[in-house]
Amino acid sequence: MDALSDDGTRALSVIGFIGSVFSPWYRWSGRRDPANHCCINVATYGPGGRFTMTDRGRAALRQSPDTFEVGPSSMRWTDGKLVITMDEVSSLPLVSRVRGTITLTPDAVTGVELALTPDGAHVWRPFAPSGRVEVDLGKRGQWSGHGYFDANFGTRALETDFSYWTWGRYPLKDGAACFYDAVLRDGSHGATALKIGADGSVVEMDTPPPRARLPRSLWAVRRETRCDAGQAPRQVLPMLDAPFYTRAAVETVVEGEPSTGVHEALDLDRFRGPWLMPMLAVRVPRRAGWRFRS
């Protein structure tokens, strides 16, 4: 899930992994045992922002129909709300505790599920493309904003099937617009453009806004998003910047409506390179021995 504060100064992202796709430890293991490489990745942006992504072993994973727990952090579906509690330690160079609670109240939950590859090996499930978020990070601050909740599932490594992709979700007056643009490993292109109503209705856009370039990231990752012709998207809040991946709050225009949402670009040609894994190991520690007390 991700969220932006109403005043535009803060943001966060929380991702739960079984088979931590961006973990070097999972890749080095041969990706044979996804449950032995699980994680709840928490990243906060704005004043006091921190990044946490700890790769944990099978003993740190517990699941039920309504709960996903990895180590000391969890996601729970309670009374129609997604409640995330976290107790993580941020990675180098700003090592510190990140504790708090995030509550996402969806406008609605959709029933849509989309294949991102022709054979269905990768699936995108936008559960709640719009909703309200309440964030309590203790001494790191409390804020409210708009949020988003989705999931991706896959039976092969991302870099096996994709070369590059961009994704963006942009809140609208009555729901949200979501865009997925991908370049597959065989050179073909995939494009998904959805308008999702606050009531959970889903409509594929007949004529989505054209792709428009954004400036490259600090690591020179190529970026683009969808924007009405004659308009120009712009970054309004930098978030995550890595050699193969970038996330930012971006302002765009969709069918005449200005919107600020979360955008990402992922260069999987770079991610394939073995030179990247030691760099990631510094930011993604492995804690295989963590155990629940009961």
Side-chain angles (χ1 to χ4, degrees):
M1 65 86 64
D2 64 56
L4 287 170
S5 65
D6 288 329
D7 65 5
T9 64
R10 295 175 182 265
L12 62 80
S13 172
V14 181
I15 308 174
F17 292 96
I18 299 177
S20 189
V21 295
F22 300 125
S23 164
W25 312 101
Y26 185 39
R27 182 162 165 179
W28 287 332
S29 76
R31 296 187 170 116
R32 291 181 294 271
D33 187 358
N36 198 40
H37 294 273
C38 52
C39 174
I40 292 182
N41 162 227
V42 179
T44 63
Y45 308 101
R50 294 291 188 272
F51 178 87
T52 82
M53 191 173 185
T54 301
D55 185 301
R56 301 185 190 276
R58 173 182 292 277
L61 174 65
R62 292 198 302 205
Q63 298 181 82
S64 74
D66 298 319
T67 303
F68 174 68
E69 294 180 87
V70 178
S73 299
S74 68
M75 301 179 178
R76 289 183 169 84
W77 195 252
T78 304
D79 298 327
K81 300 179 180 182
L82 178 67
V83 180
I84 300 171
T85 58
M86 53 197 171
D87 185 358
E88 298 289 333
V89 176
S90 60
S91 62
L92 294 169
L94 301 173
V95 179
S96 59
R97 186 76 63 176
V98 180
R99 292 190 178 104
T101 303
I102 304 162
T103 303
L104 169 67
T105 304
D107 293 332
V109 176
T110 77
V112 69
E113 184 173 283
L114 295 172
L116 298 177
T117 54
D119 64 355
H122 299 271
V123 174
W124 173 45
R125 177 73 166 85
F127 286 103
S130 65
R132 292 296 302 170
V133 172
E134 300 293 330
V135 179
D136 184 352
L137 300 177
K139 65 181 182 180
R140 299 190 186 280
Q142 296 79 41
W143 52 269
S144 302
H146 58 83
Y148 170 99
F149 172 43
D150 74 355
N152 286 77
F153 310 92
T155 58
R156 290 192 294 265
L158 292 176
E159 67 270 24
T160 298
D161 291 330
F162 296 96
S163 173
Y164 173 81
W165 83 33
T166 66
W167 166 89
R169 65 96 179 165
Y170 299 102
L172 302 174
K173 292 177 182 177
D174 184 30
C178 296
F179 303 111
Y180 236 122
D181 290 284
V183 180
L184 277 69
R185 185 59 59 193
D186 63 6
S188 63
H189 290 249
T192 298
L194 303 179
K195 286 188 73 173
I196 303 176
D199 61 355
S201 60
V202 180
V203 176
E204 189 165 0
M205 300 173 73
D206 292 331
T207 307
R211 291 193 296 270
R213 287 292 181 95
L214 285 156
R216 287 181 179 261
S217 70
L218 293 176
W219 282 95
V221 174
R222 176 168 60 92
R223 299 191 297 173
E224 59 185 36
T225 191
R226 298 279 178 170
C227 188
D228 284 1
Q231 304 290 331
R234 67 185 187 96
Q235 176 179 295
V236 295
L237 179 68
M239 294 166 68
L240 186 60
D241 202 311
F244 66 97
Y245 177 85
T246 177
R247 179 188 298 135
V250 168
E251 182 181 80
T252 189
V253 181
V254 179
E255 295 183 343
E257 185 174 339
S259 176
T260 299
V262 176
H263 171 270
E264 71 175 23
L266 177 61
D267 186 332
L268 288 153
D269 290 339
R270 288 190 182 182
F271 184 68
R272 294 177 85 184
W275 59 271
L276 188 62
M277 294 301 105
M279 294 175 63
L280 287 179
V282 176
R283 296 279 276 170
V284 184
R286 171 78 172 158
R287 299 288 182 267
W290 198 95
R291 299 287 189 278
F292 290 103
R293 293 181 179 177
S294 61

